[in-house]
Amino acid sequence: QVQLVESGGGLVQPGGSLRLSCAASGSVGSINAFGWYRQAPGHQRELVARINFGHSPTYSDSAQGRFTISTDNAKRTVYLRMNSLKPEDTAVYYCNAHTTTFRAEDVMRDKPIPYEMDYWGKGTLVTVST
């Protein structure tokens, strides 16, 4: 199990900057990817940024060039640095962690099957307005 807690949201003027943080606890050793998603009122939740360990991060078209995702060396915290914020960036931002595990019974029977799981934080509100 993995627990995620976001922080850093708030009110920002257009063109301003903000850094979001997400602290992970629990089975952090099983995490192989972190992501940031956002959801505005009346809209579907969408991917903002994602980082798979061992690979370069990816961003949505709207976030490319403005946002930066990063993690600490121990994979305990993931960050999202947001620059040049726009009113359309207003949304609840959610932290996501992806894990892959194997059951010991399956491994002993030479039939290891990966179990994929996604965990979510409760979100932090970002409001971009004058």
Side-chain angles (χ1 to χ4, degrees):
Q1 298 292 315
V2 175
Q3 296 79 45
L4 304 172
V5 180
E6 303 98 334
S7 63
L11 176 63
V12 187
Q13 295 183 353
S17 300
L18 200 64
R19 189 183 75 165
L20 305 182
S21 300
C22 175
S25 61
S27 302
V28 295
S30 61
I31 300 175
N32 53 42
F34 276 117
W36 283 99
Y37 294 72
R38 69 185 183 188
Q39 186 171 19
H43 294 261
Q44 295 287 99
R45 184 175 300 186
E46 64 175 350
L47 173 68
V48 177
R50 183 185 68 209
I51 181 169
N52 297 313
F53 302 137
H55 301 272
S56 59
T58 59
Y59 302 91
S60 66
D61 291 339
S62 62
Q64 185 70 46
R66 299 188 300 128
F67 295 2
T68 302
I69 186 173
S70 62
T71 62
D72 67 3
N73 294 330
K75 299 185 294 183
R76 296 298 303 273
T77 306
V78 59
Y79 305 94
L80 182 68
R81 178 67 180 181
M82 303 183 293
N83 296 324
S84 302
L85 285 165
K86 307 173 182 178
E88 50 263 42
D89 293 320
T90 297
V92 176
Y93 284 72
Y94 297 90
C95 178
N96 164 264
H98 183 79
T99 65
T100 302
T101 59
F102 298 88
R103 296 198 307 177
E105 180 181 350
D106 294 337
V107 175
M108 293 182 64
R109 297 172 62 184
D110 293 326
K111 294 183 178 180
I113 302 175
Y115 291 87
E116 311 286 344
M117 184 64 68
D118 283 295
Y119 297 89
W120 298 89
K122 295 182 179 180
T124 183
L125 177 62
V126 173
T127 303
V128 184
S129 176
T130 58

